[in-house]
C-alpha cells in the first residue's frame, strides 16, 4: 500500500514537471525571439494564447484539465494544442520508466537529463532553436556531476567529450559555410553535443552522432515521401541528438 501511494505521488510530481516543461517550451522561445512580449517563466500567470484570459486554477491540472475541457479554452472555446497533454504524458511515462529501471541514486540525475532533452527537442522542432539557457547549464551540470563521481566515467573524459562535441560540429558548420556559403549546422547543435559529451564522455560521441544522423536522414526521406517536403529544407537536428543522448545515458547507467 505504501509503495502504491509512493507511485501515485511520483506520478503527480512527474505530471507537474511536464506542466512546467510546457511553460518552458512555449515561453523560452518568446523570451529569445520576441523580447517585446515581456514574458518570463514565472509571469504573467498562465493565459489562453487566443483570448489572453487568465486560466482558472482548475484549468491548470496536468492532463486532466485538457481532457475535461475537451481541448478548448473555457472562455473563448479556441482549440488548445494537444502538445500540452502530450508533453505532460511524456514526462509521466519517462519518469515512471526511469523509476522502474534505475537505482534510486541515479534516478534524479537521469530525470533532469531526460526532461531537459525533451524540452530542447520540442523547442528545436517548433522553432529550430536550441536555447543557451538550457544547453549551457546542462553542460556545466554534467561536468559538476563528474567532479563528485555522480556519473560513470571521470572528469577528464567529460571535459574532453565537451570539447570534442563542440569542436566537431563547429568544424563541420564552418567548413560547410566556407565551401557552400550557407549555414548547415547551428551552433546550438554544437552546444548540445558538447553537453552530451560533458555527461557521457568522449567515447560515445561517434555512436551518438551516427544514431542522430541516421534518424535525421530517415525523417527527411519520410517527409519527402509522405509530405513532398523539399530535401534542401532545414531539418531540426536537436531531437535526434537528444534521442541519441538519452539512449547513451541509459546504456551507461543500466
Amino acid at each position: 500500500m505504501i509503495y502504491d501511494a509512493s507511485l501515485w505521488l511520483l506520478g503527480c510530481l512527474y505530471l507537474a514537471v511536464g506542466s512546467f516543461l510546457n511553460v518552458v517550451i512555449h515561453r523560452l522561445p518568446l523570451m529569445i525571439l520576441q523580447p517585446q512580449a515581456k514574458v518570463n517563466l514565472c509571469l504573467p500567470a498562465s493565459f489562453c494564447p487566443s483570448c489572453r484570459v487568465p486560466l482558472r486554477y482548475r484549468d491548470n491540472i496536468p492532463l486532466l484539465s485538457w481532457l475535461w475541457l475537451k481541448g478548448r479554452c473555457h472562455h473563448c472555446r479556441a482549440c488548445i494544442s494537444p502538445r500540452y497533454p502530450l508533453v505532460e504524458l511524456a514526462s509521466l511515462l519517462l519518469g515512471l520508466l526511469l523509476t522502474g529501471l534505475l537505482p534510486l541514486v541515479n534516478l534524479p540525475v537521469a530525470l533532469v537529463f531526460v526532461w531537459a532533452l525533451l524540452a530542447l527537442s520540442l523547442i528545436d522542432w517548433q522553432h529550430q532553436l536550441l536555447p543557451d539557457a538550457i544547453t549551457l547549464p546542462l553542460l556545466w551540470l554534467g561536468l559538476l556531476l563528474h567532479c563528485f563521481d555522480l556519473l560513470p566515467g571521470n572528469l577528464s573524459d567529460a571535459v574532453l567529450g565537451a570539447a570534442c562535441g563542440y569542436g566537431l560540429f563547429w568544424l563541420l558548420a564552418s567548413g560547410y559555410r566556407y565551401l557552400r556559403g550557407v549555414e548547415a549546422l547551428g551552433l546550438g547543435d554544437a552546444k548540445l553535443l558538447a553537453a552530451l559529451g560533458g555527461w557521457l564522455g568522449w567515447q560515445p560521441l561517434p555512436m551518438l552522432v551516427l544514431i542522430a544522423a541516421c534518424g535525421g536522414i530517415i525523417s527527411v526521406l519520410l517527409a519527402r515521401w509522405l509530405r513532398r517536403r523539399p530535401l534542401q529544407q532545414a531539418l531540426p537536428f536537436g531531437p535526434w541528438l537528444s534521442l541519441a543522448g538519452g539512449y547513451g545515458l541509459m546504456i551507461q547507467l543500466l
Side-chain angles (χ1 to χ4, degrees):
M1 183 68 69
I2 295 176
Y3 182 72
D4 291 342
S6 299
L7 277 181
W8 277 104
L9 289 174
L10 283 176
C12 292
L13 173 63
Y14 296 158
L15 284 172
V17 170
S19 182
F20 175 71
L21 290 179
N22 273 320
V23 174
V24 173
I25 293 164
H26 176 69
R27 295 195 180 193
L28 190 55
L30 284 178
M31 293 164 59
I32 297 170
L33 302 174
Q34 301 178 35
Q36 69 276 11
K38 295 182 180 180
V39 299
N40 58 45
L41 298 183
C42 299
L43 295 172
S46 297
F47 56 86
C48 171
S50 298
C51 65
R52 304 190 71 82
V53 170
L55 301 184
R56 304 168 299 184
Y57 73 91
R58 58 182 179 274
D59 298 334
N60 270 323
I61 302 173
L63 198 57
L64 297 179
S65 290
W66 191 89
L67 295 173
W68 177 259
L69 293 169
K70 298 180 180 179
R72 294 186 176 275
C73 170
H74 79 276
H75 184 263
C76 68
R77 307 306 296 167
C79 289
I80 302 172
S81 171
R83 188 205 77 205
Y84 292 94
L86 290 176
V87 169
E88 291 161 356
L89 183 61
S91 174
L92 171 64
L93 294 179
L94 287 171
L96 293 178
L97 177 65
L98 294 176
T99 301
L101 292 177
L102 298 179
L104 185 60
V105 66
N106 292 331
L107 182 60
V109 167
L111 288 173
V112 169
F113 185 73
V114 168
W115 284 331
L117 293 182
L118 176 61
L120 284 169
S121 296
L122 290 172
I123 291 173
D124 196 32
W125 189 266
Q126 290 185 304
H127 303 280
Q128 295 192 13
L129 174 70
L130 291 168
D132 290 352
I134 301 178
T135 55
L136 297 185
L138 192 64
L139 166 61
W140 287 111
L141 178 59
L143 297 178
L144 284 172
L145 290 171
H146 277 289
C147 288
F148 297 99
D149 296 322
L150 295 175
L151 285 174
N154 55 63
L155 180 59
S156 59
D157 285 343
V159 172
L160 188 58
C164 289
Y166 185 85
L168 172 64
F169 272 18
W170 181 85
L171 287 173
L172 287 174
S174 299
Y176 194 87
R177 184 171 59 250
Y178 176 77
L179 293 174
R180 301 294 301 272
V182 294
E183 294 287 346
L185 283 170
L187 290 184
D189 296 311
K191 294 169 187 174
L192 176 54
L193 189 59
L196 298 182
W199 279 70
L200 306 176
W202 63 271
Q203 297 92 336
L205 290 184
M207 178 191 70
L208 301 187
V209 173
L210 178 62
I211 292 173
C214 290
I217 291 171
I218 292 171
S219 69
V220 166
L221 294 178
L222 286 176
R224 174 63 177 173
W225 179 43
L226 297 174
R227 295 187 294 158
R228 312 304 299 173
R229 181 182 186 273
L231 291 177
Q232 66 271 21
Q233 186 174 336
L235 167 76
F237 198 51
W240 301 108
L241 281 176
S242 298
L243 181 64
Y247 170 76
L249 184 69
M250 293 301 295
I251 291 296
Q252 290 193 358
L253 293 182
L254 286 177

